[in-house]
Amino acid sequence: MTYSNLTIEQRDAVIQITVQRPDKLNALNLDTLIELGDAVEDATSDDSLRALIITGAGEKAFVAGADIAEINALNPLQARDFSELGQQLMRQIENCGKPVIAAVNGFALGGGMELALACHIRIASDNARLGLPEITLGLLPGFGGTQRLLRMLGRSRAMQLILSGQPIDAATAEHWGLLAHVYSTQELSDQAWTLAHKLAASAPIAMRSIIEAVQNGQDMSLEAALNMETQLFALCCSSEDMREGTSAFLNKRKPKFNGS
Ligand code: COA
């Protein structure tokens, strides 16, 4: 499929989705949100794909937020639809069953930070700045930012970021645990592909189970979450890939997972 506001690049079992509105610092307008939803859906249903990267065009911005020009013209009902559409996209990414890496190459503000928060792993370039500046626009984050940030950072730091609207630099975001790693701007893309290929070589059923356990466990009681983990462990033990992985270890060879 071709898109107006995205480019798609595939290398083996990895797909990279790049938001392509560099003149607007890759701000998410309605069309881009819809296209991202379509691209993630396609990647989810394609069994040959095992990992995704999401990034932004250019070196200045990952995504500088939802498109403020479009927000400016929304009435309350349209605003509700817009927020729901953004939230749906973030849920779709979280629940796609394949690892999604955000390669944060510059500003990740507002909806851009919310997009990064919905990805399973975030790595960034050293010029990245992350923040939720909606308060400066008379708004609050509407694509899940208040809830995901609370869960990731705890109440104090989440409140600080959201109430002040002030972005943090990459080093602080790494220190706070929002970023798994920070690279130079030159290195980021290669590092994202390398990590994605590494993840793509893992057993897909186990990968999907891990994402489900971590993703869904957070909002469950510990007892229910541990029970879920047991069921997923048993599911993995019924897979050919588990036999392959354990046999490969015992026979001192590299495993080759086929996804069944
Ligand atoms: N929505 C719409 N357009 C945006 C945008 C957004 N979220 N972020 C940047 N742009 C546009 C600018 O309007 C400008 O367009 P123009 O050249 O047609 O005037 C272009 O992208 C370049 O941005 P500019 O502000 O000139 O770059 P800068 O380097 O001076 O500043 C930022 C960069 C990121 C600090 C600044 O663009 C900014 O604050 N953006 C908004 C961030 C935000 O509030 N996001 C949350 C939205 S809910």
Side-chain angles (χ1 to χ4, degrees):
M1 200 187 283
T2 54
Y3 299 98
S4 311
N5 302 305
L6 306 178
T7 50
I8 308 288
E9 182 181 350
Q10 185 175 347
R11 297 186 199 167
D12 303 317
V14 176
I15 198 167
Q16 175 170 272
I17 301 171
T18 303
V19 180
Q20 278 287 353
R21 297 187 75 215
D23 54 324
K24 296 291 173 194
L25 302 186
N26 305 320
L28 299 176
N29 60 2
L30 186 61
D31 288 348
T32 308
L33 281 177
I34 292 169
E35 288 190 354
L36 274 169
D38 291 345
V40 172
E41 191 180 318
D42 279 359
T44 304
S45 58
D46 183 342
D47 287 342
S48 70
L49 292 177
R50 294 195 181 169
L52 286 74
I53 302 167
I54 298 181
T55 194
E59 282 191 358
K60 194 166 172 186
F62 172 70
V63 166
D67 191 307
I68 297 171
E70 281 194 357
I71 292 177
N72 179 258
L74 294 176
N75 69 33
L77 287 179
Q78 291 166 330
R80 193 175 64 183
D81 290 347
F82 188 67
S83 170
E84 280 176 0
L85 187 71
Q87 290 192 0
Q88 251 171 41
L89 169 65
M90 306 312 162
R91 291 300 278 165
Q92 210 185 332
I93 291 169
E94 270 176 347
N95 295 326
C96 78
K98 305 175 188 198
V100 185
I101 299 166
V104 181
N105 56 321
F107 289 111
L109 301 176
M113 182 169 187
E114 291 171 300
L115 178 62
L117 293 178
C119 295
H120 304 115
I121 300 177
R122 284 159 296 286
I123 58 175
S125 52
D126 49 17
N127 68 335
R129 290 182 72 75
L130 295 89
L132 292 173
E134 283 84 349
I135 184 67
T136 66
L137 303 165
L139 282 170
L140 82 163
F143 294 171
T146 58
Q147 300 313 304
R148 287 196 181 84
L149 210 58
L150 171 66
R151 283 161 174 73
M152 284 186 200
L153 289 182
R155 187 180 296 246
S156 176
R157 281 181 169 160
M159 283 288 196
Q160 181 196 327
L161 264 184
I162 303 168
L163 291 178
S164 74
Q166 289 302 306
I168 52 174
D169 61 20
T172 307
E174 186 182 25
H175 178 64
W176 287 9
L178 284 176
L179 295 174
H181 213 289
V182 177
Y183 299 98
S184 69
T185 44
Q186 295 77 15
E187 278 180 303
L188 178 67
S189 174
D190 284 351
Q191 292 290 347
W193 282 103
T194 302
L195 174 60
H197 277 118
K198 226 176 248 174
L199 298 177
S202 300
I205 294 173
M207 193 60 90
R208 185 184 175 135
S209 301
I210 290 166
I211 292 171
E212 198 176 318
V214 175
Q215 198 70 55
N216 298 345
Q218 189 162 31
D219 291 326
M220 293 180 174
S221 68
L222 181 61
E223 199 178 337
L226 290 174
N227 181 42
M228 172 184 64
E229 187 185 74
T230 296
Q231 305 309 322
L232 290 168
F233 183 82
L235 173 75
C236 286
C237 281
S238 71
S239 69
E240 277 179 30
D241 280 346
M242 185 282 278
R243 300 275 164 240
E244 167 63 11
T246 50
S247 303
F249 175 82
L250 294 171
N251 292 305
K252 302 190 189 305
R253 63 171 173 83
K254 270 187 98 171
K256 195 162 179 350
F257 298 115
N258 67 14
S260 56

